[in-house]
Amino acid sequence: MALSSAGKVISTILRHDDKTTTYKIALLRAINDVVLSFPDLRNFNQDVAIPLRVLAEYWVAYYWPFAGHNPIPQGPCQITAKGNKNDIAFRPLLTLLRQRGQTELQLSSQPSEGFYLINLMRIDRKRQEFSEDFLKLYKQTLNKIAEAIENPIQYAGPGKWSVFDKPAKCSDLERHAVSIPGTQPSDRCLVVSAELWNGFRDLSLWIEALCIHEWSLFTEKLQQSDIKVDRGEVYRLLTNRPDNRRPLTWERNQIDMLLMEGYEFICPWTEKRIYSGVKYAVDHLVPIAVYPINELWNLVPSDPKFNSHIKRDRLPSTERLIKATLPLELAYSLYDKSATLSRALHQDVAIRFSVIQQSNYWGSLAGAVVDLIEQVAESRNLHRF
């Protein structure tokens, strides 16, 4: 595969940069996930500002499986006069967050529960269900990780600041870069050049695979006298994804109310009418196993048999996506009939999509969702139905 200049930069960092921890690998993987998560930013063809806290959220998910009861080192652990020095600066806070998540939130021991947690914490109505103590701990963890992220940003590539500039407040970057949705003026941001952003977009699948491969090799090679882990186990931990076992009770109750009021939805895949008394599934358009998104735009009523036996964890073909545009537009417009769903939908759209036309909001949103699904499918080369 012939690499672009951006691809060569990414490849060099992953394969040849000096590394004492997995930080540089995690940084590039997080940028890659951000690019995949906000595909409409490519339309601006500008440098993009990513808040460090957003990158830190992804690090929570990546490092989650390494912070369990049997922690797996991600760098050399040095002995000091005061005792053991942590291999990664945020290990104590992340370990405590995982413990609290399992006891207070009934999170399982599944390695991918970190992905599930960060997805919930991004949604305002979900975040309100957490205790103040847990929210405080989560924020502390993100802040500590954000501090750690500045190191690989500085040392990525040859010398200092050779690939990325020093992070700065979003308010100081507005003339130079477009920010991802949900960015606050006070957020310290990493700026990714337009060329590098496009490189991540075009090489997303390859970058993901290379990150996981290099991460697995690095972790296996760490010399620890009492802890040994092979690359296959690290690979399993890094590629585990949440399942769809959790009920969407709140969303289903709100949809049931609309159905009882006489509104009808249409399944985006079978065009089956869904009205009061008809069984339906609340379908994740982008399946949880592909990308854990519980934002309301990603949840629509669908034919339960088709959802369970045909769609499952796959993404639709381009042709099916095009046909689904009108049923999705209908679903979003019906959500607007409920004050509760309307508020939730607008909040979720605001943190995901950069440009939605106000004059044709539901049609524009449906088009943006279709485009996002298409980009995810192409970037990950996924099996489609």
Side-chain angles (χ1 to χ4, degrees):
M1 177 177 61
L3 292 180
S4 64
S5 58
K8 291 177 181 177
V9 169
I10 296 167
S11 176
T12 298
I13 294 172
L14 290 174
R15 287 174 167 166
H16 305 299
D17 266 18
D18 291 334
K19 301 178 183 70
T20 55
T21 68
T22 50
Y23 283 4
K24 288 183 182 180
I25 304 171
L27 171 64
L28 294 191
R29 188 183 180 192
I31 296 172
N32 194 51
D33 271 331
V34 170
V35 173
L36 181 64
S37 299
F38 302 99
D40 58 345
L41 287 178
R42 73 185 186 281
N43 298 324
F44 291 92
N45 198 29
Q46 288 183 251
D47 297 350
V48 180
I50 306 173
L52 297 186
R53 62 172 173 80
V54 173
L55 298 174
E57 289 171 355
Y58 283 105
W59 280 34
V60 166
Y62 302 157
Y63 285 99
W64 187 270
F66 304 122
H69 294 298
N70 297 309
I72 299 174
Q74 295 298 292
C77 294
Q78 302 175 1
I79 304 298
T80 67
K82 296 181 179 180
N84 289 336
K85 181 180 179 181
N86 292 306
D87 54 322
I88 49 177
F90 48 88
R91 180 175 291 283
L93 282 171
L94 183 59
T95 300
L96 180 58
L97 185 72
R98 176 167 174 165
Q99 292 171 348
R100 293 275 296 277
Q102 291 177 334
T103 56
E104 295 183 25
L105 310 179
Q106 286 75 55
L107 297 181
S108 74
S109 59
Q110 190 174 355
S112 58
E113 290 293 76
F115 280 101
Y116 175 71
L117 176 64
I118 66 172
N119 177 260
L120 291 183
M121 296 297 282
R122 288 171 178 166
I123 303 172
D124 185 64
R125 65 183 180 279
K126 302 290 186 181
R127 194 166 54 247
Q128 293 175 4
E129 299 175 4
F130 294 86
S131 69
E132 288 298 323
D133 285 344
F134 190 86
L135 292 174
K136 182 179 179 181
L137 176 59
Y138 185 75
K139 184 176 181 180
Q140 290 174 333
T141 305
L142 290 186
N143 289 341
K144 190 66 175 179
I145 294 176
E147 291 177 8
I149 288 175
E150 299 219 27
N151 181 276
I153 291 174
Q154 179 177 359
Y155 292 102
K160 297 181 181 180
W161 311 117
S162 61
V163 175
F164 303 108
D165 291 333
K166 188 174 182 179
K169 283 187 178 181
C170 177
S171 57
D172 297 330
L173 299 170
E174 291 178 348
R175 295 182 180 180
H176 310 290
V178 60
S179 57
I180 68 171
T183 303
Q184 302 300 314
S186 61
D187 282 336
R188 281 178 56 77
C189 296
L190 166 67
V191 175
V192 178
S193 69
E195 180 183 11
L196 197 56
W197 181 275
N198 290 333
F200 276 102
R201 187 195 70 205
D202 295 339
L203 300 170
S204 177
L205 179 63
W206 174 78
I207 293 169
E208 172 79 0
L210 185 57
C211 283
I212 292 173
H213 176 71
E214 293 296 325
W215 197 323
S216 301
L217 289 178
F218 181 90
T219 303
E220 182 184 55
K221 290 177 181 177
L222 287 174
Q223 297 300 312
Q224 302 292 332
S225 60
D226 56 342
I227 300 175
K228 297 289 184 181
V229 61
D230 63 58
R231 69 187 71 174
E233 174 62 10
V234 179
Y235 180 89
R236 182 188 72 82
L237 295 174
L238 290 170
T239 56
N240 188 266
R241 285 294 181 267
D243 59 33
N244 197 18
R245 67 186 182 280
R246 297 176 177 87
L248 298 167
T249 305
W250 181 86
E251 290 81 1
R252 178 174 287 277
N253 288 343
Q254 300 299 324
I255 293 171
D256 283 347
M257 291 178 65
L258 287 174
L259 296 175
M260 287 187 290
E261 291 171 5
Y263 295 107
E264 294 185 2
F265 292 82
I266 296 177
C267 172
W269 317 124
T270 65
E271 298 184 352
K272 178 181 178 180
R273 291 170 53 232
I274 298 172
Y275 48 88
S276 183
V278 172
K279 292 183 179 180
Y280 69 92
V282 179
D283 179 25
H284 284 84
L285 300 176
V286 179
I288 286 287
V290 174
Y291 225 70
I293 301 175
N294 278 321
E295 294 155 25
L296 190 55
W297 58 265
N298 195 42
L299 303 170
V300 297
S302 71
D303 181 341
K305 291 184 178 179
F306 190 90
N307 187 52
S308 298
H309 301 292
I310 298 178
K311 180 177 185 289
R312 301 191 303 276
D313 59 353
R314 297 186 295 169
L315 288 174
S317 65
T318 300
E319 293 73 21
R320 281 191 180 274
L321 272 176
I322 293 173
K323 290 182 179 180
T325 303
L326 288 179
L328 291 178
E329 180 179 351
L330 172 64
Y332 300 145
S333 66
L334 292 181
Y335 287 169
D336 194 47
K337 304 296 182 181
S338 160
T340 303
L341 283 178
S342 178
R343 180 168 56 253
L345 181 60
H346 279 83
Q347 289 174 343
D348 291 355
V349 169
I351 64 174
R352 181 64 57 177
F353 301 102
S354 55
V355 178
I356 300 294
Q357 298 175 10
Q358 296 302 314
S359 58
N360 180 29
Y361 190 87
W362 311 119
S364 179
L365 174 58
V369 170
V370 165
D371 183 57
L372 184 147
I373 297 172
E374 182 69 21
Q375 289 294 313
V376 170
E378 289 184 357
S379 298
R380 289 294 185 261
N381 194 28
L382 297 169
H383 184 51
R384 306 173 75 168
F385 66 88

